[in-house]
Amino acid sequence: MTSRPSVGIQRPRQRSASGSVPRPPNGGAQQSQSTGAGGVGDRAATDAALDGGRVAPLANGRLTTAHGLTAQLSALSNSNSPDAGGGGPGLGSSDGGGAPSLSKPKPPSRGRARLRPGALSRMLSTPGRAHPLADVTVSPGDETQATRSQSPPPMPVRPGKQPPRQARKAAARSDVQAPATKKDSRPKPYVLEAPPMAPHLRQEKYADFFPWTGSHPEDILIEQTTRQGFYDKTQVSQNEHQTARPSLWPVFKRQSGIQVLSSLFVSVLEQRQLHGRITAVSTFKPPPRVTLTDTKREAWLRDLANPSVPLRRLSRTIPHGIRGKVLLDQCLSKSIPTGRAVWLARCVGANEIRAFKRKGAGGAFAMGGEVKWIRDWTAFVEQFVDTVIGNCGEKDWKLKISYAVRLSAHLFSEHLLDREHYLDWFITQLELCSLERLPMWLLVLQIYWQELVQYRRYGRRLAEALLKKLQLASASEDKEVFTPIVQRISELTTALIISNRECFVIPRAWADYHSTLESSIDRTKPGIASAFENVSRRNDRLSLPTHRRNGKSADTPKRQLIQVLDAAQTSFDIDHLSSVCLSTITDRNALIQVLLEWASSPYRVGSSRVYLIVRLLRRWNRGGMDTDEYILDFLARSQRNIGIYNHNVYLLIAELVRSRHFSVTRYLRWLLARGALGGYQALDPDEACDKRLLAELALGSLPTHVRNLRKMLLEEAGFSVQGELQCLHRVKSTISALLSGFFDTSDLSGSSERDSMETDLNSLKFVSRTIKSEISLWIRRQVGLHVVQGVPVGPNNWRDLTIEVGISAITADQFAIIRRILEDFEDFSILADVLKIASSSDNSTVLASVADTVNYHLATFTAIGAANECFEALLERHRSLKVRRAAEKFLLVSLFNLASAIPGGGESMQHLAGELAKCDQRTAVAACSPVSDHMTDVLQSTDADFNEDIERLLSSGTSMDRHTLARLFETVLSRMETAWGDSEPQLLSFGLLLARLRTFDERNFDGLMSKSHEVDEITAASIAAETLELVFGGEPDQFSPLDYDSYHLRLEQRRYMEENPRETLSVMRRAIERGSTKLKGGHQDILESLLASTSVTSALRRYIVRNTENTHSCLILPLTKLPPDSSWRLKQIMDRLLEGSNSNDLSEMDPEVQVTKILQIADEFSLPFCQIKLQLIFNSEKSSTSTDRTIGQITVTTSFFHAISSAIQNQNFAWADLVSVLDDDVARYVSLPPLLFTQNKEAKTLQIREHAEEQLLNSAPFSKSCPASSFQSDESSARRFMPVIENTSFSIPGIGVPTLAPILVDKLNSLAQYISLRDIDTGKAASDDVCVQRQSGAEQFCEVRLWIIMFLRLVVIHRNMFQGGKTCSWDQARLVISICALLQNEHVQRDELVSEYAFDVATYLVDELSDEARVQCTKFMKDKAREPKFRYLFGYQEGPGNGLHVAQRDKLFPFHIRRWEILSEPTPNVGENDTSLSLTLFRARKNHSYRSSVR
């Protein structure tokens, strides 16, 4: 062996006449002048020819070179440089330093190397020396550079001559010039070192390196060695007496000599290979087991634990009885090295497995026994690891756990365990371990990470286990203690989602772990955001459609915005609401359309929504948004919008015109440009709002030319402007007559009668918005004029100092009438100004009325932004008044109620409550005795003075026991029953007494109320109707504006309905239940009018929108269970609620027509009402007789199904929400054609979903003759059926539909074959050069791409159809194979979406696949199962040597490696073929040992 040329010089191997390789003498590099046949020059030339002209490595004084390198060595030997001889002198020369001559040789200081390492390179780079082969003379200044540029490049190193890596690094470091340092000239002891490039042998020996000892033949200088050099003597066989060099040399000198030599060498190698091949039969057998005593067994185990004892010695025999758990425990207790422990396990395992064969069992039985033994051995290893880890904290627990984990990892990597069983056990331990032991298992996880993530069955469980532990650690009370665990799991999940994101495709658990994963991943990692989005999208595609009973499906931006607006009640945060609106819908035009639709929808109640939208539009208009364009767009679409409440549109635009945020001039130009007024002779109130708005515009802030243009357009449209002015005058006159002396009537003509006040007030609400706006501004100006400007002068020129300057002089009656007018006009912005002016009054009644008004319209004033201002003004006025006089209780009550309702009024409410308590103390008689002390006189009083006595009794005491409360309650109740129907004022006083009585003990009083006397059904029905009237009765136009108690009643009614929705709905339900059949006469009419009143319909609309669940549970569901004669009132109510959709005749339609109409009017606003109506229709069909029920259900569901198809075609997707609320029984039935009827006229029925599935499956023919147009038509129909299936998926039974699985398998197989056949046909047409118009495979794939996605979606929807037993399991396996066949198609692979979706569906199905079916799928896939994606799916694991084959008689047979018998040193004696794998299989040759010259 030799080393690399960059370190030293190798002596030339000169061939002597005997064929040996000569070496130069020890004295140094000798110059040879001989050029003859046997001279040094010829020998060097011969060596160069044999070496192929390459420069051989130089080391230890040996050199193999070409002619040029020989000439260089000759020049070096003639020079007197001390470096040229490796420390020795040249022949017959002196080094100038007194070096000894040849007669006195000086021993070299280094081994046999006569040229030191690097000597040649230094000599070649010495300044002033030219390269011996250079033809150009170089100047001394440029010698080095020229030498480097003109020197030939070094020849490549021979194979196998590379130096060790450490030597190469050392050589590379030596090439870097070190900084100049001061040379240490002190003498140092010489230490003999081997050349760094010398090949290293075992036992610290180096090849061809012999240090100077003086006893080596080369160290003895003789004449022959000096002249010819030293070379090894070759061993000559008995038949060979001398070298063949003299006879071969003339042949080599010829031109074909090299070819002759090469052919000779080839024949020699062939003979060597032929005669040196191993042919003996393998003699391998594992070490036998013998029974030993305990002492000998312990000694043997101690020897096994001792690395210095060779295994050859121990392999003679192994102790019997060391197996299973005992073997592992002995290895742990004796600290046996891991490699030796694995060797022992192999020995035991090989003997155990061979024991099965020795017992006579063969074939499958022996294989089963081997598998069982390996499974048991794996269980022992699992128990061993679990036990050692469980003993954490004991003595030497770290060393023991480290050893156990290391040993088990070695056994796993050597395939000495059942890998599937072991990985399954490990994942189970990771899932079940506590947080305290989790760090240990996380450390072990790193060992098996790659094995776990490359298979689906383990990767999915690993992802779920990590997320579950992360949830537990994050939710733990000791969160700080588990912070390192959380960080570590976060790192693992981040790494897993980046490298193996398919492991997080967990649709069943995605809803539970979605937020956990999102919060745990490290967002700073590159690609992590896209990886998480990909995982989230893939899980969402595999999830089932979520349809809840409340009708909520996937929220669109429009629906999200509507939900936000509906949720806003009294606390309108305009800044937040504005940002939410702009971020939810980025299209500004679409945003304004939704807001205007919401403000004008008849399915929403209250004026607050109009003023809220006005405030938002003003804000955006000031910010630069062109709101006029969007409003005009909305007006243009108003003709197509169904169910717009035009009066709200006029009010909204009037408010914008009043604040100069809507351009009337632009609207008029837009109206003229569209020609919208053409053909209209009169602008009726029922016309579309884009034209009618011309007659409803607010004129208060418009300039004269705009008014004139409007007047001209109105006259051209046939609208009487003069009539509008006359109506305005008439309204002003009427109001002036109502408020005599309040208005300036100098410009008014005519008069109104006082006795017609209420009739005139009720008629004012029907005038146009233009007149309403003018009247409102006129009223506000007049109210502003009624402010005290100076102190009035009384009689005798005295000034009335009790009257303040700057306060409002409006009276309570004037304020009540003005409030009524503005409430009817719904002009709450003007009413807010009036309230601000009136809040400066010193009249407590006016201030209380202002507080009640703000409280009653709190949502509207909050939307305007005036609620807090009015409240603060009232509080400030109250503080100033209570300095001068005591506050009245009714004022304090009104202010307290307002403070409790207004947001942020908590502190003011506490102050007002304190003042109310003080007021009660002043009016009540202080008494410390209980009420029972004075009760005797009260019980004996007559009816005339009973009320006064009971009131005095309640005021005389501060406490009441339970017995006293019960007696008083019974007394009042008996007096009330006696006076029932005779005296209504007396009944009212009794009700007030009961209210006072309840304040003493509310709990006991409510108990007494629930145990009150039983009444008959008619009386109960009457009470229910009167209770409904108490809650909802009293329309605003039924009371006089001067009736302050009625206003308080309406205020309390609204507050009760808002604070107690369930109780309010229960009152309505009881009234409908008991009053439908039990009420007679007047009570029936009262109930009818109440249910048809605006208060009831408005309350129901509010509840259905904001409290859908309460409405369903408390009202809808109980009433739907009633018989038809009792539930018809609910249908009437729902018909009234849907009147805003131009469906006022809905109750007169047949059920099949109603369902079609409902689907037409259903949108985001009317959806909850349509859902309830649809439920009522289907429930009424269910409640019919059996025959009528069947026919009715067939008719209704048929119409419903056809209406769904039309809705899908018209891009109306509200039908999905309608279907989602139907229960399973109602949603099941759909009729078939009449031909499917049976002979007994009974109709067959199928589920809506099944009918859609049948249509979808039948509309997918896949044949080569199908034209492209048929595919397009079939796709359009399939697009209509697929949403029906998704939205009715809740009707799928829990066990699924097993009969659908074979159909889906056939369809997917047809798809795969269809694409493949197209590719084959296209290829044949191209190869035969046939001019046939055939579509390519890619185009054909595009045609069926949608079908693939729909069928895969159908598989996801029917995921439960494989739970029916073994047959369903095989259908599931066939379906997986069909999807895998699609994945193998090149066109599917190119489509990222389809391939990813198909792969995810396959993974979803494989998760539930049994082990047996999984194995069958792997066998069916054959070689395809080894592809990475299919290996991940089916968990195909290749064992050691898997896929090996043996060639025998030109045939390949699979070859299985017996991994337990792969043993090193199995026997104490080395045999020719004693390995477990026979060496004859590899055509191995015998290895002739290298004869070393060093003994």
Side-chain angles (χ1 to χ4, degrees), residues 559-720:
R559 181 169 297 180
Q560 293 177 4
L561 182 58
I562 293 174
Q563 291 174 356
V564 171
L565 295 173
D566 290 338
Q569 296 181 358
T570 57
S571 57
F572 298 108
D573 187 352
I574 298 299
D575 296 335
H576 175 70
L577 189 61
S578 174
S579 61
V580 170
C581 293
L582 296 175
S583 61
T584 304
I585 301 180
T586 56
D587 186 358
R588 299 295 180 256
N589 189 11
L591 173 62
I592 300 300
Q593 304 306 313
V594 175
L595 295 180
L596 294 177
E597 289 178 13
W598 181 75
S600 59
S601 173
Y603 304 103
R604 303 297 186 271
V605 295
S607 301
S608 60
R609 53 197 174 114
V610 176
Y611 290 94
L612 177 63
I613 302 305
V614 167
R615 196 171 175 186
L616 288 173
L617 292 178
R618 287 171 179 169
R619 179 188 182 92
W620 295 337
N621 184 272
R622 290 192 299 267
M625 184 185 296
D626 189 4
T627 55
D628 292 350
E629 180 181 356
Y630 304 143
I631 294 174
L632 294 177
D633 190 14
F634 173 78
L635 294 175
R637 299 179 184 179
S638 60
Q639 293 182 351
R640 300 190 299 270
N641 291 339
I642 300 177
I644 288 182
Y645 191 54
N646 293 345
H647 296 285
N648 283 8
V649 178
Y650 305 147
L651 175 60
L652 186 147
I653 296 179
E655 290 293 327
L656 293 176
V657 171
R658 183 179 294 167
S659 61
R660 302 179 185 273
H661 289 94
F662 180 78
S663 175
V664 178
T665 305
R666 187 175 180 178
Y667 163 70
L668 297 178
R669 291 200 304 263
W670 173 79
L671 204 61
L672 288 172
R674 294 176 66 242
L677 298 178
Y680 284 88
Q681 299 301 324
L683 296 177
D684 296 333
D686 297 333
E687 295 294 339
C689 60
D690 59 335
K691 293 93 174 177
R692 176 64 187 176
L693 178 62
L694 185 63
E696 302 282 347
L697 285 172
L699 306 178
S701 60
L702 296 181
T704 304
H705 69 279
V706 178
R707 290 176 179 242
N708 293 335
L709 179 59
R710 173 183 176 272
K711 179 180 179 181
M712 180 184 65
L713 293 177
L714 288 175
E715 290 176 351
E716 290 181 358
F719 184 84
S720 176

Side-chain angles (χ1 to χ4, degrees), residues 471-486:
Q471 273 189 348
L472 294 176
S474 301
S476 176
E477 296 179 356
D478 302 331
K479 187 178 297 185
E480 297 180 357
V481 177
F482 296 116
T483 300
I485 295 180
V486 173

Side-chain angles (χ1 to χ4, degrees), residues 1210-1284:
N1210 296 330
Q1211 302 295 319
N1212 182 10
F1213 300 102
W1215 64 269
D1217 300 275
L1218 296 177
V1219 173
S1220 64
V1221 299
L1222 300 179
D1223 56 27
D1224 296 346
D1225 295 331
V1226 174
R1228 294 175 71 90
Y1229 302 101
V1230 64
S1231 65
L1232 294 179
L1235 295 178
L1236 297 181
F1237 277 46
T1238 58
Q1239 295 180 356
N1240 57 1
K1241 305 301 181 181
E1242 291 181 2
K1244 288 186 177 180
T1245 57
L1246 284 177
Q1247 296 179 3
I1248 294 177
R1249 173 187 49 77
E1250 290 179 352
H1251 184 56
E1253 289 169 357
E1254 182 181 0
Q1255 297 295 327
L1256 176 64
L1257 295 173
N1258 292 335
S1259 61
F1262 303 113
S1263 62
K1264 295 189 292 183
S1265 59
C1266 291
S1269 59
S1270 65
F1271 274 97
Q1272 295 176 359
S1273 61
D1274 292 337
E1275 282 187 8
S1276 61
S1277 61
R1279 288 178 184 273
R1280 296 197 301 269
F1281 295 132
M1282 195 64 202
V1284 179

